[in-house]
Amino acid sequence: MVDTKTPGDKKLSVPSKTLSLKPRVETGTVRQSFSHGRSKQVVVEKRGKRRIDGSPEPQVAEVAKPAPAAAPKPAPARPAPPRNAGSGVVLRTLTEDERSARASALADAKVREVEERRHAEEEAQRRAVRESAERADREAAEARRKAEEERHRHEEEAKRKAETEAKKRFGEGEQPQSAARPATATSAAPAPRPGAPTARPGTTTTARPGTTTARPGTTTRPGGPVGRTPAVAAGPDEDEGPRQIRRGPGGAARPVVAPKPTHKPGPQKERGRLTVVTAFNADDVRERSIASFRRRTQRLKGHAANEPKEKLIREVIIPEAITIQELANRMAERAVEIIRMLMKQGAIHKITDVIDADTAQLIAEELGHTVKRVAASDVEEGLFDAIDDSTDTEPRSPVVTVMGHVDHGKTSLLDALRHANVVSGEAGGITQHIGAYQVTSPESGKKITFIDTPGHAAFTAMRARGAKVTDIVILVVAADDGVMPQTIEAINHAKAANVPMIVAINKIDKPDAKPERVRTELLQYEVQVESLGGEVVDVEVSAKNKTNLDRLLEMIALQADILDLKTNSDRPAEGTVIEAKLDRGRGPVATVLVQRGTLRVGDIIVAGAEMGRVRALINDQGVTIDEAGPSVPVEVLGFNGPPEAGDRLAVVENEARARQVTSYRAHQKRENAAASISGMRGSLEQMMSQLKTSGRKDFPLIIKADVQGSLEAILGSLEKLGTDEVAARILHAGVGGISESDVTLAEGFNAAIIGFSVRANKEAAAAAKRNGIEIRYYNIIYDLVDDVKKAMSGLLAPTLRETMLGNAAILEIFNISKIGKVAGCRVTDGTVERGANVRLIRDNVVVHEGKLSTLKRFKDEVKEVQAGQECGMAFENYHDMRAGDVIECYRVETIQRSL
């Protein structure tokens, strides 16, 4: 039951206190009834739309449903009361701002209406497209259904014909059926009711709306009953339309109650208690839950999983070692399949195990994939030796390396060419560093790059490094000294590098100079100069008097023209690190000889296991430059750490590539160091050598040098000092000053610290003094090697040498109380001394070795007994002496060994 209360019309009133407008709201109450006698009263509000022009609100006409009976006349409408009648109040007119605001609101509303109309049109178009697609699907489904029905009809017809043929063949029941047919047809036709309408002659009855067309056999005869085929029963199509029930002759037809409509899918109004939540969420559409969507996806995937998938053939990149999981990911295969294949081959693995490249290649090829083998060293591909186009090359300056024996005047000759004085800055007057300089030829004006190498035997690696980066080698031989060991080594380096050689016979200003002897000695090492009919150019020079220096430069320029040196300068730079050091103020500094391309400030460079960005370039004169072309030696600042001398330098495109290359090289360096330290078990000979050196004494050292080349030479020299009994153990070797961490390391291993041309800082020196760590400083490599050699010699075990003193024959044995047995002897040769070592020989077999405790002549103790005299002897802690035994007396001397 629903009750509605509608209040009276609200009029504008003027209260006694304040002037106000009542809200334009019509309120009412509605009582809702529920089951079990429960009810609830709900307030319903109806807001009227405000009109700007004061026109009354339009009334919504209710569409009346068609009814069979005549509708009652509507009650006369109550006349609307006149507005503002009798109130005497004048309403306030709108201001301009309010008018503009309302006009803009109306314009926005119109725009929104146009937009909504456009969206509605688009939605209608989409709906039309969707409905057309659905219509096409329904038509296709209807066509399939009709085809299926036609097929079934044909099958039924064929079956019926087959049954008829079978009955005709056997002749069963034909006569009773033929006789029963007219009776059945007569009884099946009902008698027509009086007053019932009959069909017109010659017309057939058609189905009502919603029913199918009647069969052709169902016809009505004029004035007769409706005839129907007895075999055809009333189908469901005839019951679906409304039927009229006759109540008797002339009775009025009563409409049959329509059957309840079948349930059609679609949104239905939800019934339930009216609450605030349901009132606000009435228009919300319920969507599918996440669980339902997941189940649907799983079902679809399950159907798709049964379908056969096409095998994907991939190109698998296989490194030197790869895990099973990574290999499975690269092939898009299951790791279980790979493990199963390995188990068939007799190998049990887990998913995280690492397999070699050959095994991975076999597995990938067996699964049908193509394999591309890569190595870790492939990161260095394309880093060096890129081929230059011949059209882009231009001439470059030659690189000349000065080599020879120590103190043959190499640096003095280079100083004379450069008009400098490098010799005065070298400790001991010998060159211990490799240097690179540029000299301008006074005649041609072309620049020549010189590389000065040390001549000491320890700097073999420096000389080899200089020979690798050079174009021409100048072999300096002193005229008064001749060919020496390092001269021979320089010749071998030049031949190994396959570079031309120019012999400079220096010190011809000395009185005892013999240039011809030098030329003759060079013939022993397959170096034939031009004056003796060979191809090697020789020039007699004097660095002191600057004699024939111009001819030497001319020969260098001529040799460079013959070589036709060209390169491309418009490409990324490549070079070689000649020397590297750690400067306290500038950081890691590397002396680099640029060989190809141009090195510029800001380039990202890689050298060995170190990388960096070029911060500054300094030439041999100490001037900062912005770029360095081919054959130009420069100092490069900006490395993360000092590279090793001899490393090749290259410019890369970005930091990622540089980091990739340096990480690979650092990993290789660590592996090599670990392999050399751990002493991996190898062949039987290596195992025997390890057993032999297991008792070797180590001399722990920490070495710090100023440059990488000097450190390399020191390490090589100390390594040569080692023997099977003692060897130098280098705990740490580096470039730069001695730090506090070096002192801490030396304290832990009780090692000595050696500094070559470097010093310890204040903190390190104080820590070394406090802990008793010895720090030795050297400037000359000779002194360093000699002192280490002496210190290592002290670790050698001394040599014991025996010196024979004499022999004595035992004549009689005497037993003396409180002393024991005493042998009466005669000295046959030599002398016998008290306290010397003795051997007791019986039948030419040594039965005892010991010392003499007593040596008497008559009753007196004596120091020695000469040959031919008799004496008494007693041994320490031994008394088994017999007559006829021989006593051999000797002295053991300890001799200190040296390396």
Side-chain angles (χ1 to χ4, degrees), residues 39 64 99 131 136 265 319 334 366 395 443 468 474 479 489 532 570 573 589 609 745 767 769 797 804 835:
S39 63
R99 290 178 182 275
E131 289 177 355
R334 298 175 61 204
E366 188 172 349
E443 296 182 359
K468 287 180 181 179
I474 294 181
E489 182 183 324
L532 297 181
D570 295 333
V589 180
L745 180 62
K769 185 177 180 180
M804 294 299 299

PDB file of all heavy atoms in Angstrom, residues 39 64 99 131 136 265 319 334 366 395 443 468 474 479 489 532 570 573 589 609 745 767 769 797 804 835:
ATOM      1  N   SER A  39       7.121  -1.969   6.997  1.00  0.00           N
ATOM      2  CA  SER A  39       6.932  -0.848   6.079  1.00  0.00           C
ATOM      3  C   SER A  39       7.939   0.233   6.423  1.00  0.00           C
ATOM      4  O   SER A  39       8.527   0.248   7.519  1.00  0.00           O
ATOM      5  CB  SER A  39       5.498  -0.299   6.170  1.00  0.00           C
ATOM      6  OG  SER A  39       5.272   0.215   7.470  1.00  0.00           O
ATOM      7  N   ALA A  64      -1.088   7.739 -21.787  1.00  0.00           N
ATOM      8  CA  ALA A  64      -2.056   6.782 -21.237  1.00  0.00           C
ATOM      9  C   ALA A  64      -1.972   5.481 -22.011  1.00  0.00           C
ATOM     10  O   ALA A  64      -1.823   5.482 -23.237  1.00  0.00           O
ATOM     11  CB  ALA A  64      -3.477   7.356 -21.325  1.00  0.00           C
ATOM     12  N   ARG A  99      23.859  38.014 -15.584  1.00  0.00           N
ATOM     13  CA  ARG A  99      23.409  37.731 -16.949  1.00  0.00           C
ATOM     14  C   ARG A  99      24.534  37.089 -17.778  1.00  0.00           C
ATOM     15  O   ARG A  99      24.312  36.121 -18.522  1.00  0.00           O
ATOM     16  CB  ARG A  99      22.923  39.012 -17.626  1.00  0.00           C
ATOM     17  CG  ARG A  99      21.620  39.545 -17.062  1.00  0.00           C
ATOM     18  CD  ARG A  99      21.228  40.842 -17.751  1.00  0.00           C
ATOM     19  NE  ARG A  99      20.007  41.385 -17.199  1.00  0.00           N
ATOM     20  CZ  ARG A  99      18.779  41.031 -17.571  1.00  0.00           C
ATOM     21  NH1 ARG A  99      18.626  40.088 -18.491  1.00  0.00           N
ATOM     22  NH2 ARG A  99      17.711  41.568 -17.008  1.00  0.00           N
ATOM     23  N   GLU A 131      25.416  -4.178 -34.962  1.00  0.00           N
ATOM     24  CA  GLU A 131      24.172  -4.890 -35.245  1.00  0.00           C
ATOM     25  C   GLU A 131      24.186  -5.532 -36.622  1.00  0.00           C
ATOM     26  O   GLU A 131      23.657  -6.633 -36.814  1.00  0.00           O
ATOM     27  CB  GLU A 131      22.994  -3.915 -35.135  1.00  0.00           C
ATOM     28  CG  GLU A 131      22.691  -3.474 -33.713  1.00  0.00           C
ATOM     29  CD  GLU A 131      21.562  -2.461 -33.669  1.00  0.00           C
ATOM     30  OE1 GLU A 131      21.103  -2.063 -34.766  1.00  0.00           O
ATOM     31  OE2 GLU A 131      21.141  -2.083 -32.557  1.00  0.00           O
ATOM     32  N   ALA A 136      24.387 -10.371 -39.704  1.00  0.00           N
ATOM     33  CA  ALA A 136      25.015 -11.294 -40.660  1.00  0.00           C
ATOM     34  C   ALA A 136      25.286 -12.638 -40.006  1.00  0.00           C
ATOM     35  O   ALA A 136      25.093 -13.694 -40.621  1.00  0.00           O
ATOM     36  CB  ALA A 136      26.311 -10.677 -41.197  1.00  0.00           C
ATOM     37  N   PRO A 265      17.335 -12.832 -21.992  1.00  0.00           N
ATOM     38  CA  PRO A 265      18.550 -12.313 -21.343  1.00  0.00           C
ATOM     39  C   PRO A 265      18.611 -10.807 -21.482  1.00  0.00           C
ATOM     40  O   PRO A 265      18.295 -10.228 -22.508  1.00  0.00           O
ATOM     41  CB  PRO A 265      19.675 -12.992 -22.129  1.00  0.00           C
ATOM     42  CG  PRO A 265      19.077 -13.335 -23.444  1.00  0.00           C
ATOM     43  CD  PRO A 265      17.627 -13.627 -23.172  1.00  0.00           C
ATOM     44  N   PRO A 319      78.653 -18.282 -25.501  1.00  0.00           N
ATOM     45  CA  PRO A 319      80.007 -17.882 -25.110  1.00  0.00           C
ATOM     46  C   PRO A 319      80.847 -19.095 -24.718  1.00  0.00           C
ATOM     47  O   PRO A 319      80.432 -20.253 -24.917  1.00  0.00           O
ATOM     48  CB  PRO A 319      79.753 -16.957 -23.917  1.00  0.00           C
ATOM     49  CG  PRO A 319      78.473 -17.445 -23.339  1.00  0.00           C
ATOM     50  CD  PRO A 319      77.654 -17.971 -24.486  1.00  0.00           C
ATOM     51  N   ARG A 334      62.646 -25.393 -22.513  1.00  0.00           N
ATOM     52  CA  ARG A 334      62.582 -25.692 -21.093  1.00  0.00           C
ATOM     53  C   ARG A 334      63.923 -26.218 -20.618  1.00  0.00           C
ATOM     54  O   ARG A 334      64.566 -27.039 -21.290  1.00  0.00           O
ATOM     55  CB  ARG A 334      61.485 -26.703 -20.818  1.00  0.00           C
ATOM     56  CG  ARG A 334      60.094 -26.216 -21.172  1.00  0.00           C
ATOM     57  CD  ARG A 334      59.094 -27.331 -20.978  1.00  0.00           C
ATOM     58  NE  ARG A 334      59.057 -27.791 -19.592  1.00  0.00           N
ATOM     59  CZ  ARG A 334      58.658 -28.984 -19.218  1.00  0.00           C
ATOM     60  NH1 ARG A 334      58.278 -29.865 -20.143  1.00  0.00           N
ATOM     61  NH2 ARG A 334      58.644 -29.319 -17.950  1.00  0.00           N
ATOM     62  N   GLU A 366      71.104 -30.154 -31.636  1.00  0.00           N
ATOM     63  CA  GLU A 366      70.194 -31.299 -31.564  1.00  0.00           C
ATOM     64  C   GLU A 366      68.741 -30.837 -31.473  1.00  0.00           C
ATOM     65  O   GLU A 366      67.835 -31.513 -31.965  1.00  0.00           O
ATOM     66  CB  GLU A 366      70.553 -32.157 -30.353  1.00  0.00           C
ATOM     67  CG  GLU A 366      69.787 -33.472 -30.287  1.00  0.00           C
ATOM     68  CD  GLU A 366      70.292 -34.377 -29.193  1.00  0.00           C
ATOM     69  OE1 GLU A 366      71.367 -34.066 -28.623  1.00  0.00           O
ATOM     70  OE2 GLU A 366      69.636 -35.387 -28.916  1.00  0.00           O
ATOM     71  N   PRO A 395     101.496  12.002 -45.413  1.00  0.00           N
ATOM     72  CA  PRO A 395     102.820  11.664 -44.836  1.00  0.00           C
ATOM     73  C   PRO A 395     102.865  12.009 -43.348  1.00  0.00           C
ATOM     74  O   PRO A 395     102.223  12.937 -42.870  1.00  0.00           O
ATOM     75  CB  PRO A 395     103.781  12.525 -45.658  1.00  0.00           C
ATOM     76  CG  PRO A 395     103.053  12.855 -46.911  1.00  0.00           C
ATOM     77  CD  PRO A 395     101.612  12.938 -46.556  1.00  0.00           C
ATOM     78  N   GLU A 443     117.619  21.263 -42.187  1.00  0.00           N
ATOM     79  CA  GLU A 443     117.649  21.393 -43.646  1.00  0.00           C
ATOM     80  C   GLU A 443     116.255  21.284 -44.250  1.00  0.00           C
ATOM     81  O   GLU A 443     115.804  22.182 -44.964  1.00  0.00           O
ATOM     82  CB  GLU A 443     118.573  20.324 -44.237  1.00  0.00           C
ATOM     83  CG  GLU A 443     120.025  20.482 -43.806  1.00  0.00           C
ATOM     84  CD  GLU A 443     120.916  19.440 -44.447  1.00  0.00           C
ATOM     85  OE1 GLU A 443     120.380  18.600 -45.204  1.00  0.00           O
ATOM     86  OE2 GLU A 443     122.130  19.449 -44.186  1.00  0.00           O
ATOM     87  N   LYS A 468     109.614  -1.982 -31.011  1.00  0.00           N
ATOM     88  CA  LYS A 468     108.320  -2.323 -31.593  1.00  0.00           C
ATOM     89  C   LYS A 468     107.611  -1.118 -32.185  1.00  0.00           C
ATOM     90  O   LYS A 468     106.889  -1.247 -33.167  1.00  0.00           O
ATOM     91  CB  LYS A 468     107.429  -2.970 -30.519  1.00  0.00           C
ATOM     92  CG  LYS A 468     107.833  -4.386 -30.156  1.00  0.00           C
ATOM     93  CD  LYS A 468     106.898  -4.945 -29.102  1.00  0.00           C
ATOM     94  CE  LYS A 468     107.299  -6.370 -28.708  1.00  0.00           C
ATOM     95  NZ  LYS A 468     106.418  -6.922 -27.660  1.00  0.00           N
ATOM     96  N   ILE A 474     118.597   3.577 -34.584  1.00  0.00           N
ATOM     97  CA  ILE A 474     119.968   4.090 -34.630  1.00  0.00           C
ATOM     98  C   ILE A 474     120.769   3.318 -33.594  1.00  0.00           C
ATOM     99  O   ILE A 474     120.481   3.396 -32.389  1.00  0.00           O
ATOM    100  CB  ILE A 474     120.015   5.600 -34.340  1.00  0.00           C
ATOM    101  CG1 ILE A 474     119.315   6.371 -35.458  1.00  0.00           C
ATOM    102  CG2 ILE A 474     121.444   6.069 -34.190  1.00  0.00           C
ATOM    103  CD1 ILE A 474     119.327   7.862 -35.273  1.00  0.00           C
ATOM    104  N   ALA A 479     133.366   4.274 -30.391  1.00  0.00           N
ATOM    105  CA  ALA A 479     134.535   3.900 -31.202  1.00  0.00           C
ATOM    106  C   ALA A 479     135.661   3.365 -30.354  1.00  0.00           C
ATOM    107  O   ALA A 479     136.505   2.592 -30.853  1.00  0.00           O
ATOM    108  CB  ALA A 479     135.003   5.116 -32.021  1.00  0.00           C
ATOM    109  N   GLU A 489     122.333  -7.193 -28.104  1.00  0.00           N
ATOM    110  CA  GLU A 489     120.900  -7.302 -27.822  1.00  0.00           C
ATOM    111  C   GLU A 489     120.100  -6.307 -28.641  1.00  0.00           C
ATOM    112  O   GLU A 489     119.020  -6.618 -29.150  1.00  0.00           O
ATOM    113  CB  GLU A 489     120.657  -7.058 -26.328  1.00  0.00           C
ATOM    114  CG  GLU A 489     119.209  -7.202 -25.917  1.00  0.00           C
ATOM    115  CD  GLU A 489     119.000  -6.875 -24.455  1.00  0.00           C
ATOM    116  OE1 GLU A 489     119.891  -7.191 -23.642  1.00  0.00           O
ATOM    117  OE2 GLU A 489     117.960  -6.292 -24.135  1.00  0.00           O
ATOM    118  N   LEU A 532     131.791  -1.312 -46.256  1.00  0.00           N
ATOM    119  CA  LEU A 532     132.301  -2.667 -46.482  1.00  0.00           C
ATOM    120  C   LEU A 532     131.452  -3.423 -47.485  1.00  0.00           C
ATOM    121  O   LEU A 532     131.520  -4.651 -47.559  1.00  0.00           O
ATOM    122  CB  LEU A 532     132.346  -3.442 -45.159  1.00  0.00           C
ATOM    123  CG  LEU A 532     133.279  -2.870 -44.086  1.00  0.00           C
ATOM    124  CD1 LEU A 532     133.249  -3.730 -42.833  1.00  0.00           C
ATOM    125  CD2 LEU A 532     134.724  -2.765 -44.619  1.00  0.00           C
ATOM    126  N   ASP A 570      92.564  11.641 -39.746  1.00  0.00           N
ATOM    127  CA  ASP A 570      91.157  11.925 -39.454  1.00  0.00           C
ATOM    128  C   ASP A 570      90.430  10.646 -39.063  1.00  0.00           C
ATOM    129  O   ASP A 570      89.493  10.188 -39.724  1.00  0.00           O
ATOM    130  CB  ASP A 570      90.470  12.567 -40.673  1.00  0.00           C
ATOM    131  CG  ASP A 570      91.053  13.922 -41.005  1.00  0.00           C
ATOM    132  OD1 ASP A 570      91.576  14.577 -40.087  1.00  0.00           O
ATOM    133  OD2 ASP A 570      91.009  14.306 -42.192  1.00  0.00           O
ATOM    134  N   ALA A 573      92.240   7.807 -32.562  1.00  0.00           N
ATOM    135  CA  ALA A 573      93.677   7.626 -32.341  1.00  0.00           C
ATOM    136  C   ALA A 573      93.994   6.226 -31.841  1.00  0.00           C
ATOM    137  O   ALA A 573      93.205   5.598 -31.132  1.00  0.00           O
ATOM    138  CB  ALA A 573      94.179   8.661 -31.352  1.00  0.00           C
ATOM    139  N   VAL A 589      99.941   9.476 -15.009  1.00  0.00           N
ATOM    140  CA  VAL A 589     100.441  10.137 -16.211  1.00  0.00           C
ATOM    141  C   VAL A 589     101.078   9.077 -17.094  1.00  0.00           C
ATOM    142  O   VAL A 589     101.900   8.278 -16.620  1.00  0.00           O
ATOM    143  CB  VAL A 589     101.453  11.248 -15.876  1.00  0.00           C
ATOM    144  CG1 VAL A 589     101.941  11.918 -17.154  1.00  0.00           C
ATOM    145  CG2 VAL A 589     100.835  12.278 -14.946  1.00  0.00           C
ATOM    146  N   ALA A 609      94.328  -2.525 -18.822  1.00  0.00           N
ATOM    147  CA  ALA A 609      93.175  -2.681 -17.933  1.00  0.00           C
ATOM    148  C   ALA A 609      92.719  -1.354 -17.359  1.00  0.00           C
ATOM    149  O   ALA A 609      91.930  -1.340 -16.410  1.00  0.00           O
ATOM    150  CB  ALA A 609      93.523  -3.642 -16.795  1.00  0.00           C
ATOM    151  N   LEU A 745     101.503  -3.368   5.364  1.00  0.00           N
ATOM    152  CA  LEU A 745     101.719  -4.660   4.705  1.00  0.00           C
ATOM    153  C   LEU A 745     103.085  -5.232   5.055  1.00  0.00           C
ATOM    154  O   LEU A 745     103.224  -6.440   5.301  1.00  0.00           O
ATOM    155  CB  LEU A 745     101.573  -4.489   3.187  1.00  0.00           C
ATOM    156  CG  LEU A 745     101.755  -5.739   2.332  1.00  0.00           C
ATOM    157  CD1 LEU A 745     100.709  -6.788   2.676  1.00  0.00           C
ATOM    158  CD2 LEU A 745     101.683  -5.391   0.852  1.00  0.00           C
ATOM    159  N   ALA A 767     105.316   5.759  10.754  1.00  0.00           N
ATOM    160  CA  ALA A 767     104.841   4.404  11.048  1.00  0.00           C
ATOM    161  C   ALA A 767     105.961   3.380  10.906  1.00  0.00           C
ATOM    162  O   ALA A 767     106.065   2.438  11.709  1.00  0.00           O
ATOM    163  CB  ALA A 767     103.681   4.054  10.115  1.00  0.00           C
ATOM    164  N   LYS A 769     109.194   3.910  11.375  1.00  0.00           N
ATOM    165  CA  LYS A 769     110.108   4.079  12.510  1.00  0.00           C
ATOM    166  C   LYS A 769     109.508   3.503  13.782  1.00  0.00           C
ATOM    167  O   LYS A 769     110.202   2.893  14.608  1.00  0.00           O
ATOM    168  CB  LYS A 769     110.407   5.562  12.675  1.00  0.00           C
ATOM    169  CG  LYS A 769     111.445   5.865  13.752  1.00  0.00           C
ATOM    170  CD  LYS A 769     111.742   7.355  13.810  1.00  0.00           C
ATOM    171  CE  LYS A 769     112.793   7.658  14.885  1.00  0.00           C
ATOM    172  NZ  LYS A 769     113.091   9.107  14.964  1.00  0.00           N
ATOM    173  N   ALA A 797     122.149 -21.405   3.366  1.00  0.00           N
ATOM    174  CA  ALA A 797     122.784 -22.266   4.366  1.00  0.00           C
ATOM    175  C   ALA A 797     124.283 -22.338   4.087  1.00  0.00           C
ATOM    176  O   ALA A 797     124.698 -22.470   2.931  1.00  0.00           O
ATOM    177  CB  ALA A 797     122.166 -23.667   4.307  1.00  0.00           C
ATOM    178  N   MET A 804     141.340 -32.853   6.910  1.00  0.00           N
ATOM    179  CA  MET A 804     141.984 -33.981   7.598  1.00  0.00           C
ATOM    180  C   MET A 804     143.188 -33.497   8.404  1.00  0.00           C
ATOM    181  O   MET A 804     144.034 -32.754   7.909  1.00  0.00           O
ATOM    182  CB  MET A 804     142.422 -35.033   6.589  1.00  0.00           C
ATOM    183  CG  MET A 804     141.292 -35.719   5.870  1.00  0.00           C
ATOM    184  SD  MET A 804     140.192 -36.607   6.988  1.00  0.00           S
ATOM    185  CE  MET A 804     141.351 -37.774   7.705  1.00  0.00           C
ATOM    186  N   GLY A 835     139.689 -31.818  21.131  1.00  0.00           N
ATOM    187  CA  GLY A 835     138.435 -31.166  20.754  1.00  0.00           C
ATOM    188  C   GLY A 835     138.071 -31.327  19.290  1.00  0.00           C
ATOM    189  O   GLY A 835     137.016 -30.860  18.856  1.00  0.00           O
TER     190      GLY A 835
END
